[in-house]
Amino acid sequence: MNILVVGAGGQIGTELIPHLQSLYGEDNVIAADLKKDVVEKLSEISRSVVLDALDVNAYRELVSKNKIGRIYNLVALLSATGEKNPQLAWDVNMGALINSLELAREFNCSLFTPSSIGAFGHSTPHKNTPQDTIMQPNTIYGVCKVSGELLSDYYYTRFGVDTRSVRFPGIISNGALPGGGTTDYAVEVFYEILKTGHYTCPIPENTYMDMMYMPDALRACTDLMDAPAEKLIHRNSFNVTAMSFNPKELFAAIKKRVPEATFKYEIDPVKDKISASWPDNMDDSCARDEWGWNPQWLLDNMVDDMLTEIGKKVRK
Ligand code: SER
């Protein structure tokens, strides 16, 4: 089976590509991204092409020519960026999704599209947020995610398209940087502390959000897609989480290992509002029951690994 990753140049895509190659073979994975320079970089590790996912004809040709059987649609403008230009966020996030759904229908592909903690809003229970609950997000990013979940489930029930999805929390990683998200602070802090010894945080110290280390996120992407269909009661989308912490707790864990590190807070009002509207911690028992979700990385081993890996990058 050939697998296409669209929006492959982002935080998740750049690490999903080698993960997919290791599981399904190097020649069976194609990386597509909008930006030429990003594709040049990706071509060092993978078959790669420039693709504007909003151009359905170019997208169709790529899927058809390469006999694609599975699509990972990772195209997205994230939550904080989305608030700067809501119309663009809608066009990009929903445009890439509807094209992916239509091509999955036409070419009988399975389709993974990440949803997010951003699909929830103020009116959702914030503690132990249930799998099936009220979803009234307060950002355009969240509106796209809820619409995307509904549309993906519609394509499954109406056309039988094998659509699957997880609601990712903040993803922490040491490869490509996240961009424009509300959870980005949990990545930025490691670079700043190792480069300058200081970090100024835009999120209030007591705001809890779910988080996950990249190796677990990659396993979520592939374990869900490889799960037997008959086991799935839900499809779009599963709560998944690995840890929940607030900035104060993360910084304490870093300071334990880097005693000279200093932190201060300058709250970004947009990110403050967004983070306050998201769950503190999600209940991911449906993912555990239906396809065996079982994260391996918690706060302490994640912080150890991030400091080691980013330390190597910063010292270069
Ligand atoms: N990491 C994303 C964001 O902060 C949430 O899905 O926008």
PDB file of all heavy atoms in Angstrom, residues 78-79 116-117 141 168 170 181-183 278, ligand 1:
ATOM      1  N   LEU A  78      -2.956  26.423  12.820  1.00  0.00           N
ATOM      2  CA  LEU A  78      -3.267  26.118  14.218  1.00  0.00           C
ATOM      3  C   LEU A  78      -4.044  27.249  14.905  1.00  0.00           C
ATOM      4  O   LEU A  78      -4.363  28.272  14.299  1.00  0.00           O
ATOM      5  CB  LEU A  78      -1.994  25.787  14.985  1.00  0.00           C
ATOM      6  CG  LEU A  78      -1.249  24.526  14.530  1.00  0.00           C
ATOM      7  CD1 LEU A  78      -0.128  24.184  15.504  1.00  0.00           C
ATOM      8  CD2 LEU A  78      -2.159  23.323  14.385  1.00  0.00           C
ATOM      9  N   SER A  79      -4.302  27.044  16.201  1.00  0.00           N
ATOM     10  CA  SER A  79      -5.287  27.866  16.910  1.00  0.00           C
ATOM     11  C   SER A  79      -4.944  29.360  16.987  1.00  0.00           C
ATOM     12  O   SER A  79      -5.803  30.208  16.712  1.00  0.00           O
ATOM     13  CB  SER A  79      -5.486  27.314  18.323  1.00  0.00           C
ATOM     14  OG  SER A  79      -4.255  27.269  19.013  1.00  0.00           O
ATOM     15  N   SER A 116      -8.358  17.728  17.563  1.00  0.00           N
ATOM     16  CA  SER A 116      -7.562  18.411  18.585  1.00  0.00           C
ATOM     17  C   SER A 116      -8.366  18.663  19.850  1.00  0.00           C
ATOM     18  O   SER A 116      -9.603  18.707  19.812  1.00  0.00           O
ATOM     19  CB  SER A 116      -7.112  19.745  17.989  1.00  0.00           C
ATOM     20  OG  SER A 116      -6.722  20.660  18.984  1.00  0.00           O
ATOM     21  N   ILE A 117      -7.631  18.910  20.953  1.00  0.00           N
ATOM     22  CA  ILE A 117      -8.270  19.423  22.170  1.00  0.00           C
ATOM     23  C   ILE A 117      -8.992  20.735  21.862  1.00  0.00           C
ATOM     24  O   ILE A 117      -9.905  21.125  22.571  1.00  0.00           O
ATOM     25  CB  ILE A 117      -7.252  19.667  23.310  1.00  0.00           C
ATOM     26  CG1 ILE A 117      -6.036  20.487  22.820  1.00  0.00           C
ATOM     27  CG2 ILE A 117      -6.798  18.369  23.917  1.00  0.00           C
ATOM     28  CD1 ILE A 117      -5.072  20.909  23.927  1.00  0.00           C
ATOM     29  N   TYR A 141     -10.180  27.603  14.675  1.00  0.00           N
ATOM     30  CA  TYR A 141      -9.488  26.303  14.608  1.00  0.00           C
ATOM     31  C   TYR A 141     -10.406  25.194  15.138  1.00  0.00           C
ATOM     32  O   TYR A 141     -10.586  24.146  14.497  1.00  0.00           O
ATOM     33  CB  TYR A 141      -8.213  26.401  15.438  1.00  0.00           C
ATOM     34  CG  TYR A 141      -7.391  25.144  15.542  1.00  0.00           C
ATOM     35  CD1 TYR A 141      -6.713  24.625  14.443  1.00  0.00           C
ATOM     36  CD2 TYR A 141      -7.245  24.488  16.768  1.00  0.00           C
ATOM     37  CE1 TYR A 141      -5.926  23.490  14.560  1.00  0.00           C
ATOM     38  CE2 TYR A 141      -6.456  23.360  16.892  1.00  0.00           C
ATOM     39  CZ  TYR A 141      -5.803  22.860  15.789  1.00  0.00           C
ATOM     40  OH  TYR A 141      -5.019  21.742  15.910  1.00  0.00           O
ATOM     41  N   PHE A 168      -5.745  15.259  19.135  1.00  0.00           N
ATOM     42  CA  PHE A 168      -4.425  15.411  19.725  1.00  0.00           C
ATOM     43  C   PHE A 168      -4.401  16.525  20.759  1.00  0.00           C
ATOM     44  O   PHE A 168      -4.998  17.583  20.555  1.00  0.00           O
ATOM     45  CB  PHE A 168      -3.384  15.740  18.649  1.00  0.00           C
ATOM     46  CG  PHE A 168      -2.755  14.535  18.011  1.00  0.00           C
ATOM     47  CD1 PHE A 168      -2.577  14.484  16.631  1.00  0.00           C
ATOM     48  CD2 PHE A 168      -2.309  13.465  18.779  1.00  0.00           C
ATOM     49  CE1 PHE A 168      -1.990  13.375  16.032  1.00  0.00           C
ATOM     50  CE2 PHE A 168      -1.720  12.352  18.185  1.00  0.00           C
ATOM     51  CZ  PHE A 168      -1.564  12.314  16.814  1.00  0.00           C
ATOM     52  N   GLY A 170      -1.503  18.990  23.000  1.00  0.00           N
ATOM     53  CA  GLY A 170      -0.265  19.632  22.577  1.00  0.00           C
ATOM     54  C   GLY A 170       0.790  18.575  22.328  1.00  0.00           C
ATOM     55  O   GLY A 170       0.977  17.685  23.152  1.00  0.00           O
ATOM     56  N   GLY A 181       0.542  27.538  17.486  1.00  0.00           N
ATOM     57  CA  GLY A 181      -0.374  26.855  18.389  1.00  0.00           C
ATOM     58  C   GLY A 181      -0.346  27.466  19.784  1.00  0.00           C
ATOM     59  O   GLY A 181       0.574  28.214  20.131  1.00  0.00           O
ATOM     60  N   THR A 182      -1.355  27.112  20.572  1.00  0.00           N
ATOM     61  CA  THR A 182      -1.445  27.604  21.948  1.00  0.00           C
ATOM     62  C   THR A 182      -0.592  26.758  22.888  1.00  0.00           C
ATOM     63  O   THR A 182      -0.137  27.231  23.927  1.00  0.00           O
ATOM     64  CB  THR A 182      -2.926  27.583  22.376  1.00  0.00           C
ATOM     65  OG1 THR A 182      -3.646  28.390  21.430  1.00  0.00           O
ATOM     66  CG2 THR A 182      -3.134  28.134  23.766  1.00  0.00           C
ATOM     67  N   THR A 183      -0.365  25.507  22.507  1.00  0.00           N
ATOM     68  CA  THR A 183       0.446  24.617  23.339  1.00  0.00           C
ATOM     69  C   THR A 183       1.939  24.714  23.024  1.00  0.00           C
ATOM     70  O   THR A 183       2.741  24.018  23.641  1.00  0.00           O
ATOM     71  CB  THR A 183      -0.010  23.152  23.136  1.00  0.00           C
ATOM     72  OG1 THR A 183       0.039  22.853  21.740  1.00  0.00           O
ATOM     73  CG2 THR A 183      -1.428  22.941  23.644  1.00  0.00           C
ATOM     74  N   TRP A 278      -9.928  25.209  26.859  1.00  0.00           N
ATOM     75  CA  TRP A 278      -9.656  23.804  26.516  1.00  0.00           C
ATOM     76  C   TRP A 278      -9.682  22.925  27.759  1.00  0.00           C
ATOM     77  O   TRP A 278      -9.532  23.415  28.881  1.00  0.00           O
ATOM     78  CB  TRP A 278      -8.281  23.708  25.822  1.00  0.00           C
ATOM     79  CG  TRP A 278      -8.294  24.252  24.424  1.00  0.00           C
ATOM     80  CD1 TRP A 278      -9.368  24.709  23.738  1.00  0.00           C
ATOM     81  CD2 TRP A 278      -7.158  24.409  23.560  1.00  0.00           C
ATOM     82  NE1 TRP A 278      -8.979  25.136  22.485  1.00  0.00           N
ATOM     83  CE2 TRP A 278      -7.634  24.955  22.357  1.00  0.00           C
ATOM     84  CE3 TRP A 278      -5.801  24.131  23.668  1.00  0.00           C
ATOM     85  CZ2 TRP A 278      -6.805  25.243  21.279  1.00  0.00           C
ATOM     86  CZ3 TRP A 278      -4.959  24.405  22.593  1.00  0.00           C
ATOM     87  CH2 TRP A 278      -5.462  24.953  21.410  1.00  0.00           C
TER      88      TRP A 278
HETATM   89  N1  SER B   1      -1.366  22.257  19.381  1.00  0.00           N
HETATM   90  C1  SER B   1      -2.574  22.821  18.866  1.00  0.00           C
HETATM   91  C2  SER B   1      -2.659  24.264  19.121  1.00  0.00           C
HETATM   92  O1  SER B   1      -2.148  24.693  20.141  1.00  0.00           O
HETATM   93  C3  SER B   1      -3.751  22.148  19.492  1.00  0.00           C
HETATM   94  O2  SER B   1      -4.204  21.158  18.690  1.00  0.00           O
HETATM   95  O3  SER B   1      -3.253  24.974  18.365  1.00  0.00           O
END
